[in-house]
Amino acid sequence: MQRLALFDLDNTLVDLDQAFRVWVAEFADEHDLGSEAIGWLIALDREGFPHREVFFTKVRERFTLPDSVEELWGRYRRRMPYLVHCRPEVLDSLARLRASGWRVAIVTNGTADNQLGKIQQTGLAEAVDAYALSGAEGIRKPETGLFEIAAKRCGVALAEGGWVIGDT
């Protein structure tokens, strides 16, 4: 039986929270929002607005920004892959897993451009056997179908079992 490990991306393999804090500081500076805006933006994120369309609607309204929600969200998606980092220990651990016979994949929700950008920019694309992105597949976690796609890309049937690490 082939061993399978499926990993979430954000705040499992990469520190999205740290990258978000860097982005918030850049955003506040770029729009001359002041230091108090940084706390407000971080609090808004923690209040449970992970869907960035809603997040940017609230940001746009709060700061009366001229840019559309789509423009703000698009710039965020283009910037974030350059702000996330994957620690060398994580890459080393994935390499050791694969060297010991495990098949390894990333299963993540999010837009395809943003999530694929993170995977490519951090070196994770080369560190795993496959990935399945909800934005590319049209299926979101926790639906089993997204995990099945990742397993199949690893040459394994999900029905054979495996481990899921991170958010499901």
Side-chain angles (χ1 to χ4, degrees), residues 8 10 16 48-54 73 77 106-115 118 132-150 158 164 167-168:
D8 180 43
D10 294 325
L16 182 61
F49 296 105
H51 297 293
R52 294 297 177 209
E53 294 89 351
V54 175
W73 174 213
R77 289 193 325 263
I106 297 170
V107 181
T108 185
N109 286 337
T111 60
D113 59 347
N114 190 29
Q115 298 304 75
K118 292 176 199 174
L133 316 173
S134 68
E137 308 302 339
I139 305 169
R140 289 185 59 81
K141 294 187 305 179
E143 291 183 41
T144 308
L146 196 60
F147 297 96
E148 289 172 343
I149 290 168
L158 189 60
V164 176
D167 288 345
T168 54

Side-chain angles (χ1 to χ4, degrees), residues 28-71:
D29 186 54
E30 173 187 344
H31 293 281
D32 199 27
L33 300 179
S35 60
E36 65 280 349
I38 293 172
W40 185 86
L41 290 161
I42 290 171
L44 181 65
D45 181 61
R46 288 188 184 145
E47 285 177 22
F49 296 105
H51 297 293
R52 294 297 177 209
E53 294 89 351
V54 175
F55 176 87
F56 283 110
T57 297
K58 292 183 177 295
V59 169
R60 184 173 184 261
E61 290 169 0
R62 165 74 181 231
F63 300 108
T64 59
L65 299 174
D67 302 320
S68 71
V69 169
E70 294 78 19
E71 290 170 321

